[in-house]
Amino acid sequence: MPDVTVLDHPLLRHKLTLLRDKHTTTAQFRQVAREVSLLIAYEVTRDLPLEPIEIDTPLERMQTEHLAGKKLCIVPILRAGNGILDGMLDLVPSARVGHIGLYRDPATLQPVEYYLKLPTDVADRLVILVDPMLATGHSAVAAASRLKQSGVTAMKFVCLLAAPEGVANFTQAHPDVPVFTAAIDRELDSHGYIRPGLGDAGDRLYGTR
Ligand code: URA
């Protein structure tokens, strides 16, 4: 059974509508993408383990809890993945950040890596791989494979929107990597766009079209 979570929260659904609306400006899109990412990060980190700790409040000593287990590393797939990095860092500011850059070879249509920079201890961290759009899934599949080659054993994948084809391809290639998304849309069109979708996430984030 594929491990896919479609997040369901009124704030998320409202903000996703803003992202989809073609009248949303670049500045608004960027801000809302950040807010949505924070809300998704809240859900993705829901199962982080805690351990007991004793602290002093201003009034007395108490038993409480703090995070234990693997530290986090967020890895955006360039360039659109950067649009959901800041919202995640708003919630987990001490997370490390890696970057992976992939482009699509026009002849083979396969993703080719052009950039990779990861923390040296990435293998010891829980990696959250992020890309706003899980369309064909080719980039996400390649990025997750590359992270595994780099020693990563604990990973989750986060996107804002997914196409059924992308979900199928990713979960088949990486059944051990849970997927979190705000919505799964109807289909992928012949140009590789998610429908109804929100357009080209990179262009909408950076105003390049
Ligand atoms: N990438 C995007 O930015 N948008 C899509 O709809 C598909 C892939």
Side-chain angles (χ1 to χ4, degrees):
M1 192 65 176
D3 192 348
V4 179
T5 303
V6 181
L7 301 168
D8 189 20
H9 189 288
L11 281 175
L12 259 181
R13 282 158 66 168
H14 174 78
K15 289 173 193 293
L16 200 52
T17 300
L18 295 175
L19 292 177
R20 291 181 186 281
D21 189 336
K22 72 174 186 181
H23 300 295
T24 298
T25 66
T26 299
Q28 289 166 338
F29 189 95
R30 204 179 291 143
Q31 175 59 31
V32 175
R34 183 176 187 143
E35 294 165 4
V36 168
S37 316
L38 186 149
L39 292 170
I40 297 179
Y42 183 75
E43 288 300 329
V44 172
T45 52
R46 183 174 282 286
D47 63 352
L48 291 185
L50 293 166
E51 67 183 6
I53 182 176
E54 203 171 85
I55 61 158
D56 294 308
T57 78
L59 300 176
E60 64 181 49
R61 199 149 180 83
M62 75 172 287
Q63 282 287 341
T64 179
E65 301 163 310
H66 70 167
L67 287 172
K70 286 180 187 289
K71 298 208 170 5
L72 297 184
C73 176
I74 303 168
V75 179
I77 301 177
L78 298 174
R79 76 180 158 147
N82 269 353
I84 45 179
L85 173 63
D86 288 341
M88 299 231 154
L89 288 175
D90 287 342
L91 198 66
V92 279
S94 59
R96 295 290 188 267
V97 178
H99 290 91
I100 183 162
L102 301 165
Y103 72 89
R104 187 153 64 150
D105 184 300
T108 65
L109 301 184
Q110 289 308 306
V112 180
E113 182 184 311
Y114 66 86
Y115 187 78
L116 181 71
K117 187 78 181 174
L118 301 171
T120 50
D121 63 352
V122 72
D124 302 324
R125 291 178 178 266
L126 167 62
V127 169
I128 303 179
L129 177 63
V130 301
D131 197 2
M133 311 297 274
L134 184 61
T136 61
H138 294 154
S139 299
V141 166
S145 298
R146 188 68 180 83
L147 290 169
K148 286 180 179 176
Q149 276 170 22
S150 303
V152 172
T153 55
M155 192 182 341
K156 299 184 182 193
F157 177 76
V158 165
C159 59
L160 302 182
L161 273 189
E165 297 87 337
V167 172
N169 287 338
F170 188 85
T171 54
Q172 194 180 359
H174 297 291
D176 54 322
V177 180
V179 173
F180 293 79
T181 183
I184 301 178
D185 274 10
R186 189 181 66 242
E187 63 186 0
L188 206 58
D189 71 15
S190 57
H191 301 287
Y193 280 97
I194 297 175
R195 297 288 186 120
L198 53 73
D200 186 300
D203 284 340
R204 298 206 59 199
L205 278 163
Y206 301 117
T208 41
R209 185 170 294 165

